[in-house]
Amino acid sequence: MSMKKQLLMFLLMTAVSAANAQSRMDTIRLADPTIFYDNRTYYLYGTGSPDGFAVYTSNDLENWKREDKPALLKSDSYGLKSFWAPQVFKYRGKYYMAYAADEHIAIAVSDSPLGPFTQRVHQPITEPGKQIDPFIFKDADGKLYLYHVRLDKGNRIYVARLKDDLSDIDSSTLMECIHADQGWENTAASGWPVAEGPTVTKINNLYYLFYSANDFRNIDYAVGYATSASPTGPWTKYMGNPILSRKNTGQNGSGHGDLFTTKNGELFYVFHTHSSENGVGQRKTAVVKLSNLGQNPAVISVVPGTFHYLQIKN
């Protein structure tokens, strides 16, 4: 075989090999995602199944595997439909999943982040009205707070003290945190303004409430944050909002996710985007790294060039 033919054959085989490798990788498609790190493993959950929540695992945030068994099935806990926006956390030696189903909030428990997450009694938080997007924050003093969205003249973010046994909230502590009242938060001038997807962290004794605004179908769906000296507010929105949007991801509908810290102590945000430039579809799961400029209060921003989708091997 001539050198020219050998070179052509090599290039052809290389192209086929690359194509095959690419075909074995798929972008994970979970909306409202969350990542939980425990014992050298990252666990990924999100909205994507009508029957509960799947779980994906990774050791490096790059190579993901979908586990064979779901983390939560509707037969094991509260809810018949609309399983949305899970959050997993560890408390008193057990693993808990807070999630929305039937537009109510429930909390299930497991001995493992893989699940199965179950409830002995299949019931939601008892507060009346429609509620979604739960996030449970444990403060340094051990007190627990349930941040969530209540559907009342728009999607509004509320907080309430959660009882120590996680059985319910203390209704007397329920109060509104924020609602969508700024131009970037309602670019469609909707009569039902949306602020949702809360996630909370504490930096230098200041509380940071990250949230998404606009309807998730809007290409301007985006993420901002507010700060407070108290876990219950009052909250002051950052003047530089939004910090994450299609302007710095290049993807429509960038939002609704969760903060997480890597094994190296780096702060990341996992979120979803629309499936394509022309449609919402099965939303795709992505991450970005966040920077803390070290000021007090800290200014949080997206590190340029860190946006990428999460991939699963077929």
Side-chain angles (χ1 to χ4, degrees):
M1 183 181 297
S2 69
M3 288 294 294
K4 184 176 181 179
K5 287 185 177 180
Q6 289 181 6
L7 178 59
L8 289 173
M9 182 64 70
F10 173 77
L11 292 174
L12 178 61
M13 292 176 64
T14 300
V16 170
S17 177
N20 288 339
Q22 182 66 31
S23 70
R24 292 194 297 270
M25 300 292 290
D26 280 330
T27 298
I28 295 175
R29 293 178 180 269
L30 291 176
D32 319 326
T34 182
I35 289 179
F36 172 70
Y37 180 69
D38 183 68
N39 194 26
R40 299 186 298 278
T41 301
Y42 297 95
Y43 299 86
L44 168 68
Y45 318 81
T47 301
S49 168
D51 299 317
F53 301 102
V55 55
Y56 296 76
T57 57
S58 173
N59 295 321
D60 57 10
L61 286 177
E62 297 295 331
N63 300 288
W64 290 90
K65 172 190 175 185
R66 177 168 177 158
E67 298 295 330
D68 294 333
K69 296 182 179 180
L72 181 144
L73 279 173
K74 67 180 182 181
S75 58
D76 293 332
S77 194
Y78 172 79
L80 297 176
K81 62 183 186 306
S82 302
F83 287 85
W84 299 337
Q87 179 217 4
V88 170
F89 60 97
K90 193 173 184 178
Y91 181 66
R92 294 180 176 176
K94 294 282 189 178
Y95 299 90
Y96 291 86
M97 176 183 283
Y99 66 97
D102 300 341
E103 295 185 313
H104 287 81
I105 291 170
I107 302 173
V109 63
S110 175
D111 292 323
S112 167
L114 294 172
F117 288 87
T118 63
Q119 282 182 308
R120 183 176 57 83
V121 179
H122 296 190
Q123 64 183 23
I125 297 296
T126 58
E127 188 69 17
K130 293 182 177 180
Q131 305 136 40
I132 58 173
D133 297 356
F135 182 87
I136 294 175
F137 173 75
K138 182 182 177 183
D139 207 351
D141 60 4
K143 293 179 181 178
L144 300 171
Y145 297 87
L146 175 64
Y147 297 87
H148 59 288
V149 172
R150 299 176 68 83
L151 279 58
D152 179 17
K153 299 177 183 178
N155 287 17
R156 297 168 177 257
I157 296 176
Y158 278 71
V159 65
R161 278 286 312 280
L162 188 63
K163 295 180 180 179
D164 289 343
D165 63 1
L166 281 71
S167 62
D168 213 334
I169 64 170
D170 178 351
S171 297
S172 68
T173 66
L174 182 67
M175 63 181 66
E176 183 177 335
C177 296
I178 59 172
H179 61 275
D181 59 0
Q182 297 184 348
W184 75 269
E185 298 170 334
N186 189 7
T187 62
S190 171
W192 187 274
V194 171
E196 62 185 16
T199 180
V200 174
T201 191
K202 191 177 182 181
I203 303 173
N204 296 331
N205 295 318
L206 196 64
Y207 298 86
Y208 289 74
L209 167 60
F210 288 76
Y211 65 98
S212 296
N214 289 299
D215 187 287
F216 75 91
R217 293 162 292 193
N218 188 331
I219 62 173
D220 293 322
Y221 197 58
V223 177
Y225 70 84
T227 59
S228 174
S230 163
T232 57
W235 297 91
T236 301
K237 293 178 180 178
Y238 173 51
M239 293 294 293
N241 284 338
I243 65 164
L244 185 147
S245 70
R246 63 190 179 102
K247 292 182 179 179
N248 58 358
T249 66
Q251 303 295 321
N252 292 340
S254 294
H256 199 145
D258 193 9
L259 298 167
F260 69 97
T261 302
T262 69
K263 58 186 177 182
N264 298 321
E266 298 171 312
L267 186 64
F268 274 72
Y269 186 76
V270 59
F271 61 102
H272 69 241
T273 75
H274 289 176
S275 63
S276 69
E277 185 177 347
N278 300 314
V280 178
Q282 289 183 299
R283 286 163 283 175
K284 299 189 290 187
T285 309
V287 297
V288 291
K289 184 178 178 180
L290 299 180
S291 69
N292 176 346
L293 298 185
Q295 303 174 20
N296 193 8
V299 175
I300 310 298
S301 61
V302 172
V303 177
T306 60
F307 167 83
H308 65 278
Y309 286 116
L310 299 185
Q311 305 285 329
I312 184 171
K313 289 184 178 179
N314 290 325

